[in-house]
Amino acid sequence: MIEYIQEPFTLSTDQTKIQIDRVCEFLAQSYWVKTRGRDTIIKSIEHSLCFSLFHEQTQIGFARVITDRATFAYLCDVFVDEAYRGKGLGKWMLQCLLQHPDLINIRRVLLATQDAHGLYRQFGFQSLQEPERFMEKLHE
C-alpha cells in the first residue's frame, strides 16, 4: 500500500479505503461503464491495482490498472469528480500512478479514451504504432 499526499488530497492504493458506492455511482454515469453491474465493478477492483483520490475523507477520484506488474498494464476507469476538475488532480493522479514501483518499468501501458487524448499525451501516451497488430474479441 502506497499513499501520496498533496494536502488536503491523498492518493492511496489501499483497497480497503475504496468507497465502493462512490466509485460505482460515478462509473454508472460514464460512457464506458453504463451497463457494467455493481458485482462486476467490485470484482474488477479486487483484481486490479487501484488508485483512490480523496479530499480529506471523501473519495473524489479513481483509476484502475489491470497489470501483471512486470510487462503489461491497461489503464482504465479513470475519473475525477466534476466538482474537483481543473485543479490539476487528474494530472497529479496520473503522475503518481505512472511512478508507482509496480508500474514504472512496464514496457507497454495501454488505455482507451473517447475524449481525453490531450491529457494522456502529456504523459507520453500516443496512438498505437502498429494498430494492425492488435485484435479484440467482444462479447455483446
Side-chain angles (χ1 to χ4, degrees), residues 9 27 29 45-46 54 56 59 73 76 87 93 98 110 126:
F9 303 101
L27 292 176
Q29 298 172 23
I45 287 170
E46 290 171 350
F54 298 92
E56 297 171 351
Q59 185 156 3
C76 57
K87 302 177 186 299
M93 185 165 56
L98 293 170
L110 289 181
Q126 57 189 358

Side-chain angles (χ1 to χ4, degrees), residues 44-63:
S44 70
I45 287 170
E46 290 171 350
H47 296 281
S48 300
L49 174 58
C50 298
F51 295 79
S52 294
L53 178 62
F54 298 92
H55 175 244
E56 297 171 351
Q57 302 302 315
T58 303
Q59 185 156 3
I60 60 163
F62 183 76

Side-chain angles (χ1 to χ4, degrees), residues 61-129:
F62 183 76
R64 185 168 69 87
V65 182
I66 304 163
T67 182
D68 62 8
R69 299 176 191 236
T71 62
F72 178 80
Y74 180 75
L75 173 61
C76 57
D77 294 345
V78 179
F79 79 83
V80 173
D81 185 296
E82 196 170 331
Y84 291 88
R85 292 181 191 161
K87 302 177 186 299
L89 294 169
K91 290 179 185 179
W92 178 59
M93 185 165 56
L94 284 171
Q95 179 184 5
C96 294
L97 182 151
L98 293 170
Q99 294 299 312
H100 186 280
D102 288 344
L103 301 176
I104 197 163
N105 293 316
I106 297 284
R107 182 173 178 268
R108 175 171 283 139
V109 180
L110 289 181
L111 64 84
T113 184
Q114 180 176 304
D115 55 6
H117 297 79
L119 169 65
Y120 294 112
R121 280 193 185 102
Q122 294 176 50
F123 292 90
F125 287 90
Q126 57 189 358
S127 297
L128 292 173
Q129 291 181 10

